[in-house]
Amino acid sequence: MNAAVPRPAMAPLDLARVRADFPILAEPVRGGRLAYLDNGATTQKPESVLRAMDHYYRHQNANVHRAVHDLAERATTAYEGARDRIARYLGAAREEIVFTRGTTEAINLVAYSYLLPRLKAGDEVLVTGMEHHSNIVPWQLVTAAAGARVVPAPVTDNGELDLDGWRTLLSPRTRLVAVTQVSNTLGTVNPIEEIVREAHARGIPVLVDGAQAIAHLPVNVKALDVDFYACSAHKAYGPTGFGALYARREHLEAMPPWHGGGDMIRTVAFEGSTWNDVPYKFEAGTPDIAGAIGFAAALDYIDALGLPAIAAHEHALLDEATARLSEIPGLRLIGTARNKGGILSFVMDCAHPQDVGTVLDQSGVAVRAGHHCTMPLMKRFGIPATVRASLAVYNGSDDLQQLVRGLHTVRRLFT
Ligand code: PMP
C-alpha cells in the first residue's frame, strides 16, 4: 500500500456481499425484484442466523437448566452463552438481561412487576407523543388499575420531542419516564442522555424502548444510564418473538415475579414458594432457546460488519432517499428531525397511503402503510396513516430507484 495514501477511517460496506448473506433478498415477488423497505416492521435474516438456529435443533436440542445429559448441557451452554452475548452487546451484566418475547413483553414486565406495586392514585407515567402502542398501552393498563395516568409529552412539527414541553411535564407525581430511542414512524432519535440526566436529577427512573435502535446505532445501557431498556431480536436481523429486557440489578432484585411456573422458582410448597435468582425469577416456563441463539448470532453478524459502518451506510442512504422523495410532486415527508435514523414516513396528495402501498407492492416494493402502531402520533399530525419506507444494512440506491419509480406510477394512476 502506498504510504502517501491515507487509509480510510472505516471500510465502507460491501453491499453485494452483505446482500448475498440474506437469501430472501433473491426471492422474486410479484414476478420481479424485491425492494425490501419494511425493516421497521421486521428485518430479514442472514444465513448465519438461519444456520445457528438450524444447528441448535439438529445438534443441541434439549430443555435447558436441568442438564443431566449431554444434549441438555449443550442446550444450556448455548442458551446462557446467548445471554452473555446480548449482555456484552448492550454493555450490561448477564444477570441484568431478562429474556422476553420481545420489546412488548419487556415493557409489560416492567409495567406489572416494577411499576404497578409502586403506583398510587394521582401518579403519572410520562411518555412522549411519538411512542409505539407498546410503550403506551401497558402503562395505561397499570395506571388505570391504580387510579394513576399516562401523560404524553408534545412532539414538534418536524417530529422532534419538544424537550421544553417534556420538562414542564416532569413533576413530583411522575413515577416513571418512558421514551423510545428511535421513533418507528418518524425516525427521530431522541436525546436519551439528556432525558435520563433530567429525570434522574428528580429521582425518576427511565425506561427506553430500543426496538428501532439496536441494529442501527451503538447502545451502551451503562453509558446511557437507563434503568430499563427493551429490545426485540427481529428488528436486528434475529428471529421473531424473542427479545430482552435490560434492568439494573437492584430493580430486578426488588421486583416480584410476574409470570409463575417452572424455572422461576427455587422451592415450591403449598405453604408458599420461593424464587430463583435474577434474571431467572422472570423467566417462567421453557424458553425460546433457538430464539436466544438466533439473537446472539444476529448480534455477531452486526458486530462483524461494524455498527459505525452500518450507520454510515444507512445515513448516506437516508440522505439520498430524503432528496429523491422531496423531488416527487405532492409528496410530504412526516418527520424531518435533525437527528434521524433510516425511516421515511410520507403522505401523497393524490392517493391514500393504503393505495400507495398497494401500487408499490405491484412494483416489488415492500413498504408499510398505516398508523404503524402510533395512532396518537397520527392524530398529532392530523393524518390517518402514512407510507413508511424503512432502511436496513442491505438496502441500496437500486431499492430507492425502484421506490421512486413506483411512486411515479402512483402519480400516473391517481392524478
Ligand atoms: N416499539 C417500537 C418503537 C417498535 O417499532 C416496535 C415494533 N414495531 C415495538 C415497540 C414492539 O416490538 P415487538 O412487536 O417486537 O414486541
Side-chain angles (χ1 to χ4, degrees):
M1 185 181 206
N2 185 343
V5 179
R7 271 169 176 274
M10 184 176 60
L13 281 178
D14 181 342
L15 189 56
R17 277 189 60 182
V18 169
R19 282 182 176 171
D21 292 334
F22 292 81
I24 206 170
L25 295 180
E27 187 71 16
V29 292
R30 305 284 177 214
R33 177 186 186 272
L34 166 67
Y36 187 77
L37 294 168
D38 194 18
N39 297 288
T42 200
T43 54
Q44 300 301 348
K45 322 306 171 197
E47 193 73 56
S48 59
V49 168
L50 304 177
R51 244 187 287 118
M53 296 176 76
D54 184 73
H55 179 83
Y56 164 69
Y57 280 120
R58 286 178 194 278
H59 301 287
Q60 300 168 310
N61 178 55
N63 212 331
V64 289
H65 298 156
R66 290 171 277 265
V68 294
H69 60 82
D70 188 16
L71 285 186
E73 213 173 283
R74 288 185 212 176
T76 303
T77 302
Y79 179 70
E80 290 303 328
R83 196 187 308 276
D84 289 328
R85 183 67 187 91
I86 292 153
R88 183 151 52 87
Y89 190 83
L90 295 176
R94 71 186 319 281
E95 298 78 17
E96 296 173 315
I97 299 296
V98 179
F99 285 149
T100 67
R101 288 190 296 133
T103 304
T104 304
E105 190 178 70
I107 296 175
N108 275 276
L109 168 56
V110 177
Y112 281 93
S113 176
Y114 176 82
L115 191 65
L116 184 57
R118 290 170 170 74
L119 277 181
K120 298 184 301 295
D123 282 349
E124 293 174 353
V125 176
L126 179 55
V127 300
T128 80
M130 69 177 85
E131 298 309 315
H132 188 280
H133 296 164
S134 295
N135 204 17
I136 299 174
V137 181
W139 312 123
Q140 287 180 325
L141 291 172
V142 296
T143 51
R149 67 188 188 118
V150 178
V151 176
V155 172
T156 65
D157 287 344
N158 68 342
E160 294 182 2
L161 174 62
D162 174 350
L163 255 188
D164 290 333
W166 176 84
R167 202 172 285 117
T168 62
L169 294 169
L170 275 179
S171 88
R173 293 182 299 279
T174 313
R175 287 281 81 77
L176 183 86
V177 161
V179 59
T180 192
Q181 189 167 11
V182 179
S183 159
N184 65 307
T185 300
L186 305 169
T188 308
V189 179
N190 282 314
I192 301 299
E193 288 93 335
E194 202 169 338
I195 288 169
V196 169
R197 207 176 325 113
E198 297 203 25
H200 281 181
R202 294 165 175 82
I204 304 166
V206 178
L207 174 138
V208 171
D209 172 348
Q212 297 290 341
I214 61 162
H216 308 284
L217 44 97
V219 172
N220 183 301
V221 291
K222 298 294 178 193
L224 289 174
D225 199 25
V226 295
D227 294 272
F228 303 101
Y229 192 93
C231 58
S232 299
H234 73 102
K235 311 272 192 194
Y237 313 112
T240 52
F242 195 81
L245 171 72
Y246 157 79
R248 282 170 190 266
R249 185 168 184 150
E250 70 257 31
H251 292 323
L252 289 179
E253 296 285 2
M255 286 157 60
W258 179 36
H259 291 157
D263 234 26
M264 50 74 69
I265 50 88
R266 184 180 307 286
T267 62
V268 175
F270 283 109
E271 296 73 32
S273 300
T274 59
W275 315 135
N276 204 339
D277 295 332
V278 300
Y280 308 110
K281 181 168 80 172
F282 301 102
E283 294 178 3
T286 301
D288 183 354
I289 303 162
I293 290 166
F295 194 7
L299 300 181
D300 283 344
Y301 183 79
I302 292 173
D303 274 347
L305 293 179
L307 265 175
I310 294 172
H313 173 74
E314 291 179 359
H315 272 113
L317 213 52
L318 172 66
D319 288 346
E320 183 185 336
T322 306
R324 281 173 174 245
L325 292 185
S326 304
E327 282 168 6
I328 294 175
L331 185 149
R332 180 161 64 98
L333 283 167
I334 308 290
T336 50
R338 286 160 295 181
N339 192 3
K340 214 185 136 168
I343 289 176
L344 298 113
S345 260
F346 58 88
V347 290
M348 294 182 82
D349 60 5
C350 62
H352 189 277
Q354 214 66 45
D355 295 327
V356 178
T358 305
V359 173
L360 289 177
D361 170 55
Q362 292 302 317
S363 324
V365 180
V367 294
R368 192 137 294 239
H371 53 64
H372 319 297
C373 297
T374 54
M375 286 174 91
L377 189 64
M378 295 295 108
K379 191 171 171 198
R380 155 69 181 84
F381 282 97
I383 48 178
T386 74
V387 183
R388 182 187 69 184
S390 45
L391 308 174
V393 65
Y394 38 68
N395 290 126
S397 296
D398 46 1
D399 295 319
L400 301 182
Q401 242 156 36
Q402 205 169 322
L403 169 66
V404 167
R405 264 201 312 274
L407 293 173
H408 283 301
T409 305
V410 171
R411 279 185 48 76
R412 261 201 319 281
L413 289 172
F414 289 92
T415 50

